């Protein structure tokens, strides 16, 4: 399960993970998490993806390695809420054995920002976590 934030830097996570999945013959799913807005009913938000999610679908479709890894933009999972809990829930719901996430480089070796989504996912994951430097 590759978690994507829709940023141009985050797309490097997609390319790297698709290459990795293809190399080991693994199935791959892509996920993004949209913020839940209190003034918007969840059923409506789930039916109307944001422009960011739609652009991300297109990006997933354009990454050639993803096609070889068996994932398309049409299969992008879009969840609503806080990123780390939703990534962990999606991994559990889909039975994923690995979560791929990006993390920011810099600072002391092996330190990931205390409040970062990457750190929260790594501490909460019940499976392997593949980190891709951004």
């Amino acid at each position: 399960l590759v978690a994507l934030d829709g940023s141009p830097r985050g797309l490097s996570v997609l390319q790297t993970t698709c290459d990795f999945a293809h190399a080991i013959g693994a199935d791959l799913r892509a996920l993004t998490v949209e913020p839940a807005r209190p003034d918007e009913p969840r059923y409506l938000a789930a039916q109307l993806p944001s422009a960011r999610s739609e652009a991300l679908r297109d990006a997933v479709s354009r990454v050639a390695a993803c096609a070889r890894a068996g994932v398309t933009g049409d299969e992008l999972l879009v969840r609503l809420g806080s990123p780390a809990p939703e990534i962990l829930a999606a991994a559990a719901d889909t039975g994923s054995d690995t979560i791929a996430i990006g993390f920011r480089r810099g600072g002391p070796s092996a330190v990931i920002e205390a409040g970062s989504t990457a750190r929260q996912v790594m501490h909460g994951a019940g499976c392997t976590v593949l980190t891709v430097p951004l």
Side-chain angles (χ1 to χ4, degrees):
L1 179 69
V2 57
L4 305 168
D5 67 2
S7 71
R9 282 179 57 172
L11 290 178
S12 66
V13 176
L14 176 63
Q15 181 66 55
T16 299
T17 306
C18 287
D19 289 341
F20 182 74
H22 176 67
I24 64 171
D27 293 328
L28 182 68
R29 298 189 95 167
L31 161 77
T32 193
V33 180
E34 292 285 351
R37 291 177 171 69
D39 61 339
E40 188 173 59
R42 287 184 78 81
Y43 72 89
L44 181 60
Q47 294 174 13
L48 300 171
S50 73
R52 184 185 68 86
S53 288
E54 286 304 308
L56 196 50
R57 283 186 209 283
D58 292 341
V60 171
S61 294
R62 284 192 310 269
V63 175
C66 285
R68 293 191 309 268
V71 66
T72 67
D74 294 337
E75 298 167 347
L76 176 70
L77 300 173
V78 179
R79 293 183 69 117
L80 301 172
S82 181
E86 289 301 324
I87 292 167
L88 295 170
D93 292 350
T94 60
S96 298
D97 56 9
T98 303
I99 300 170
I101 55 174
F103 74 95
R104 290 186 201 101
R105 293 184 272 194
S109 176
V111 171
I112 295 181
E113 187 179 326
S116 75
T117 298
R119 185 179 183 104
Q120 292 173 39
V121 169
M122 285 191 302
H123 284 283
C127 62
T128 303
V129 178
L130 171 68
T131 58
V132 179
L134 297 174

